[in-house]
């Protein structure tokens, strides 16, 4: 069941992203694909005018992205290709990168929490309702608050999902969990990991679109 569900969910995710790019292409991506590709990697790796904190945040982000790719490949290869649980060298690689990824997530949650705070700019439809009901102007006056609710929502979903993702595997290794509970925790870890991967992929897509449109 997990194999079938994973394939369906991942195909739906990438299909939705592809459809979004077709319906709402950004920054002339289709007319200038090479230029758009170069700009994407420039945004990702060679962002200019970064402070020391900004450079540290970018390095942690890139390390977290590397760990995510490794963990996704090692964690999904056996279940999707062979229909089996992760084992052998894939398990060793997975267990090696997992704690590094957990640390990076904690650091990014602290560093990006301010940029991911919600403000009135994120809910223009709510401002319209308030203006119609109360006849009070509700303009967004916080220029330091980055607009765009969806990337912030996915950021906080990543932060929230990381807790059961990490705790499920940690608790399963402790002697307090019997065999039955270990199986439940492992299943929880796998399904939460699938949801986590989908949210991360959507978040990266939204962030890349926001960067390409600048």
């Amino acid at each position: 069941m997990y194999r079938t569900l994973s394939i369906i969910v991942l195909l739906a995710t990438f299909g939705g992203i592809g459809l979004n790019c077709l319906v709402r292409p950004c920054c002339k991506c289709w007319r200038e694909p090479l230029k758009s590709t170069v700009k994407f990697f420039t945004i990702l790796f060679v962002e200019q005018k970064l402070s020391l904190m900004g450079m540290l945040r970018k390095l942690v982000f890139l390390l977290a992205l590397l760990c995510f790719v490794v963990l996704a490949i090692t964690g999904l290869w056996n279940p999707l290709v062979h229909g089996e649980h992760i084992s052998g060298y894939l398990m060793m690689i997975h267990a090696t990168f997992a704690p590094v990824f957990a640390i990076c997530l904690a650091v990014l949650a602290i560093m990006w929490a301010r940029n991911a705070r919600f403000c009135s700019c994120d809910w223009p439809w709510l401002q319209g309702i308030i203006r119609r009901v109360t006849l009070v102007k509700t303009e967004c006056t916080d220029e330091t608050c980055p607009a765009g609710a969806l990337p912030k929502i996915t950021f906080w979903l990543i932060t929230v999902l990381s807790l059961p993702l990490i705790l499920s595997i940690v608790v399963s290794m402790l002697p307090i969990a019997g065999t039955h509970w270990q199986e439940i925790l492992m299943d929880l870890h796998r399904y939460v990991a699938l949801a986590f991967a989908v949210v991360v992929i959507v978040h990266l897509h939204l962030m890349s679109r926001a960067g390409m449109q600048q």
Side-chain angles (χ1 to χ4, degrees):
M1 179 180 177
Y2 178 77
R3 180 184 186 184
T4 304
L5 179 63
S6 299
I7 294 174
I8 293 174
V9 169
L10 291 175
L11 288 177
T13 302
F14 287 109
I17 291 175
L19 182 62
N20 179 246
C21 293
L22 286 173
V23 175
R24 299 181 60 188
C26 62
C27 196
K28 303 179 182 179
C29 292
W30 299 110
R31 284 181 287 179
E32 301 176 356
L34 180 59
K35 182 179 178 180
S36 301
T37 303
V38 172
K39 183 175 181 180
F40 171 75
F41 283 103
T42 300
I43 293 170
L44 189 61
F45 295 105
V46 202
E47 185 175 349
Q48 302 298 320
K49 298 180 181 179
L50 286 178
S51 63
L52 179 60
M53 185 60 67
M55 292 175 60
L56 178 60
R57 184 169 60 184
K58 176 57 71 68
L59 289 174
V60 175
F61 170 77
L62 292 176
L63 179 58
L65 184 59
L66 172 63
C67 292
F68 170 75
V69 172
V70 173
L71 290 172
I73 294 174
T74 56
L76 293 175
W77 181 264
N78 273 1
L80 296 187
V81 177
H82 304 292
E84 301 173 353
H85 293 293
I86 180 175
S87 60
Y89 288 109
L90 292 179
M91 172 65 80
M92 295 173 61
I93 297 173
H94 196 85
T96 301
F97 279 82
V100 180
F101 185 57
I103 295 173
C104 290
L105 284 178
V107 174
L108 289 176
I110 296 173
M111 288 184 168
W112 283 8
R114 178 177 175 80
N115 291 336
R117 72 191 189 281
F118 293 101
C119 59
S120 58
C121 303
D122 299 323
W123 319 105
W125 57 271
L126 181 58
Q127 293 186 48
I129 294 175
I130 294 175
R131 281 197 297 266
R132 285 194 295 268
V133 173
T134 64
L135 301 180
V136 176
K137 293 184 178 181
T138 57
E139 300 295 336
C140 178
T141 58
D142 190 355
E143 298 180 355
T144 64
C145 180
L150 288 179
K152 298 176 183 179
I153 292 174
T154 52
F155 170 82
W156 290 114
L157 280 176
I158 291 171
T159 304
V160 171
L161 287 174
S162 65
L163 297 177
L165 180 67
I166 296 171
L167 291 177
S168 59
I169 197 66
V170 170
V171 174
S172 68
M173 296 178 181
L174 300 177
I176 59 175
T179 304
H180 176 66
W181 278 104
Q182 285 181 343
E183 294 176 355
I184 293 176
L185 289 171
M186 289 300 298
D187 286 338
L188 176 64
H189 180 76
R190 291 194 300 163
Y191 284 103
V192 173
L194 177 61
F196 182 88
V198 170
V199 176
V200 170
I201 293 170
V202 174
H203 180 72
L204 292 175
H205 169 66
L206 294 173
M207 294 294 291
S208 64
R209 283 184 64 92
M212 295 290 287
Q213 290 172 346
Q214 292 177 357

